[in-house]
Amino acid sequence: MLTRRSFLPALAASTAALRGAALRGAARRPNIVMIYADDLGYGDLGCYGHPTIRTPNLDRMAAEGMKFTEWYSAAPVCTPSRAALLTGRYPVRSGLTRVLFPYSEGGIPNSEVTIAEQLKSTGYHTAMVGKWHLGHLPKYLPTHHGFDSYFGLPYSNDMMPTAGPGAGGVAKYDPLPLISGDQVIERGPDQSRLTERYTAEALKTIRGSRTQPYFLYFAHTFPHVPLYAGAKFRGRSPRGLYGDVVEEIDWSVGQVLQAIRETGQERNTLVIFSSDNGPWLPRKENGGSAGLLKEGKGTTWEGGMREPCIARFPGFIPAGRVSAAHGNMMDFFPTFCHLAGAALPKGITLDGTDMSEVLAGRSEGVERTFYYWSGDDLRAVRKGPWKLHTAINFSEGQPTAVRKLEKPSLFNVRTDPSERFDVAEANPEIVHELLALLEQHAASTMQAPKQK
Ligand code: MG
């Protein structure tokens, strides 16, 4: 019988051995912890070059694991980004293309299979802490979509009475609901304690006494505005309040890693840290930084969708690696299934790719094609180093026309990550090829009914 110690080399040696061992239940399968920040920019962590925000725990996590430099969210705003992460599919497929509000009646459809449902079906304990944003009505909450437990806010922390009149004829939003399971347990919780309370709940899952592996999805409310930092962090960062908030999230990551270590599961736990979309630049000093990348949240420039992404799994992921593999949040669905020995759902189009070979340090990644959606518009495509901006409008769920209000622009985002130099005129063949890819993707993408 394999012990956990002998299981890990088997995992590194052969994917077949991994799946076989996992499926036989011969050893405990890896725990998976997915930490997702909100509106954290590509340039907001020390290990991604920020000069004054101090993130020693995330920096250490990167030094002990793998840091990705070309990892993308599948949308530049909250709801569709999270839909893509949990379903492994472009948001257009689930209809979750736009941000949901407190008056929204829609949410994640039952026809979607979440990664939590897939892992739970193979025996994982599944827990979610933090911001959900895939529907606030009970039938859409995490505990109805694969999670055994939930504690957090169902939508963004600025959707509260002081936000002023909302759309949909709603004069003001109700005070923020803090939810446990599918019940509202508080209204208008003290936001300066949210990160601390979320962290305490996350540690309960990590420290819980059980024999099965766990999947913990820990989605922070911050650094989405309005910003609140705990008493121990307020007024501490040279970067000001935004820095205080990010440094508290870094503290929380340290608590998670420490708890995993204390449970003896350090070499049996994959921990990922990333963010749902780029920084909210119009919020000025209360918004983050995309570093050298152009623009931020809400745009399909690199700053809106390329995110910091750090992965740590001692014994599986080689320490100190920086990977330029082209990856995205939809890749986690098949990657987690592979590591868990779980089958992929049948009859469903997945848009992600299993990246476990990259995580294991055995592959540099392959040339990928990635589509940049913004709401219901398909705006750009990247293949290899080349990124073409244009837009395809959709009407009634069907593609209509390629919008060429401005001529398409082409950037080599490897040599020009800031997207400063349009090289379309010098590369007509590449423009032609990428335009064809956009049109093919548009034509093949059936849009699901929009969730509003
Ligand atoms: Mg966000």
Side-chain angles (χ1 to χ4, degrees):
M1 179 173 168
L2 286 170
T3 63
R4 181 161 56 84
R5 184 163 292 187
S6 64
F7 171 61
L8 281 165
L11 179 117
S14 154
T15 54
L18 161 65
R19 183 163 288 136
L23 291 176
R24 285 197 304 277
R28 180 163 166 167
R29 291 173 289 163
N31 309 303
I32 299 169
V33 178
M34 179 79 218
I35 305 173
Y36 217 38
D38 193 348
D39 295 1
L40 182 82
Y42 187 80
D44 279 330
L45 304 180
C47 54
Y48 280 81
H50 199 284
T52 51
I53 298 177
R54 299 165 300 196
T55 53
N57 292 294
L58 283 159
D59 299 351
R60 192 178 314 118
M61 184 176 159
E64 294 170 351
M66 188 172 282
K67 179 178 83 169
F68 290 93
T69 56
E70 302 192 27
W71 198 275
Y72 292 85
S73 174
V77 290
C78 298
T79 296
S81 167
R82 289 149 205 273
L85 170 71
L86 290 186
T87 65
R89 291 149 56 79
Y90 284 109
V92 64
R93 300 194 194 279
S94 61
L96 288 158
T97 54
R98 298 176 184 180
V99 170
L100 296 173
F101 287 86
Y103 54 78
S104 295
E105 295 177 352
I108 186 165
N110 282 334
S111 54
E112 292 297 317
V113 178
T114 69
I115 183 63
E117 286 172 322
Q118 202 64 11
L119 294 177
K120 184 177 167 66
S121 73
T122 65
Y124 269 66
H125 174 77
T126 54
M128 200 225 149
V129 175
K131 175 176 168 177
W132 173 240
H133 219 173
L134 295 176
H136 70 278
L137 298 177
K139 63 182 177 181
Y140 297 123
L141 290 173
T143 47
H144 295 263
H145 290 273
F147 290 96
D148 293 318
S149 66
Y150 174 54
F151 178 89
L153 299 183
Y155 41 71
S156 299
N157 67 325
D158 61 343
M159 296 175 178
M160 53 186 181
T162 52
V170 178
K172 283 190 173 182
Y173 304 139
D174 289 333
L176 286 173
L178 182 66
I179 293 176
S180 178
D182 61 6
Q183 302 294 314
V184 177
I185 57 168
E186 284 178 41
R187 283 280 178 183
D190 177 357
Q191 291 205 45
S192 70
R193 293 199 56 225
L194 278 181
T195 299
E196 173 198 344
R197 294 178 72 183
Y198 286 175
T199 304
E201 289 293 323
L203 297 193
K204 281 184 196 170
T205 293
I206 294 166
R207 291 175 174 150
S209 59
R210 66 183 81 82
T211 54
Q212 68 206 114
Y214 59 81
F215 169 56
L216 169 63
Y217 172 39
F218 184 175
H220 283 276
T221 278
F222 302 114
H224 193 291
V225 296
L227 300 174
Y228 291 90
K232 292 180 185 169
F233 298 89
R234 213 174 305 142
R236 296 266 306 268
S237 172
R239 168 61 177 83
L241 180 57
Y242 187 88
D244 296 340
V245 168
V246 175
E247 290 181 14
E248 186 170 13
I249 290 173
D250 178 77
W251 163 83
S252 172
V253 170
Q255 294 290 298
V256 165
L257 294 176
Q258 175 68 18
I260 292 168
R261 199 172 298 125
E262 288 170 1
T263 57
Q265 289 288 311
E266 187 174 35
R267 294 177 68 81
N268 195 38
T269 305
L270 168 65
V271 183
I272 307 276
F273 180 92
S274 194
S275 174
D276 67 336
N277 53 254
W280 208 354
L281 299 179
R283 295 302 177 267
K284 299 180 178 171
E285 71 271 20
N286 284 336
S289 166
L292 84 171
L293 304 179
K294 187 169 184 173
E295 267 289 347
K297 176 177 180 174
T299 80
T300 47
W301 296 104
E302 292 293 284
M305 294 173 66
R306 198 194 290 202
E307 308 301 331
C309 183
I310 303 168
R312 182 181 186 275
F313 188 174
F316 184 72
I317 298 176
R321 293 289 181 97
V322 177
S323 173
H326 183 189
N328 67 71
M329 303 300 172
M330 298 178 291
D331 296 338
F332 289 127
F333 193 117
T335 303
F336 292 172
C337 283
H338 181 101
L339 294 174
L344 296 176
K346 289 193 169 58
I348 286 177
T349 301
L350 285 177
D351 294 304
T353 297
D354 178 5
M355 296 289 274
S356 51
E357 289 292 299
V358 173
L359 289 172
R362 292 191 293 267
S363 167
E364 301 293 316
V366 297
E367 183 172 273
R368 305 279 298 274
T369 302
F370 175 75
Y371 298 96
Y372 299 68
W373 285 86
S374 177
D376 300 309
D377 277 356
L378 177 57
R379 291 180 180 242
V381 59
R382 176 178 168 182
K383 184 183 182 193
W386 301 104
K387 179 178 177 184
L388 182 88
H389 289 265
T390 182
I392 294 180
N393 290 331
F394 281 79
S395 173
E396 302 297 323
Q398 294 299 317
T400 52
V402 178
R403 181 151 48 97
K404 294 177 181 171
L405 300 178
E406 299 171 33
K407 61 182 168 69
S409 52
L410 181 74
F411 299 92
N412 182 323
V413 292
R414 284 254 160 83
T415 58
D416 178 23
S418 305
E419 296 171 280
R420 292 189 295 165
F421 310 113
D422 181 357
V423 292
E425 279 190 19
N427 296 279
E429 301 86 2
I430 294 168
V431 170
H432 182 76
E433 180 190 353
L434 295 188
L435 266 178
L437 283 174
L438 270 180
E439 289 169 352
Q440 285 166 18
H441 182 66
S444 68
T445 307
M446 285 296 293
Q447 288 199 299
K450 294 180 185 59
Q451 301 293 314
K452 297 178 181 172

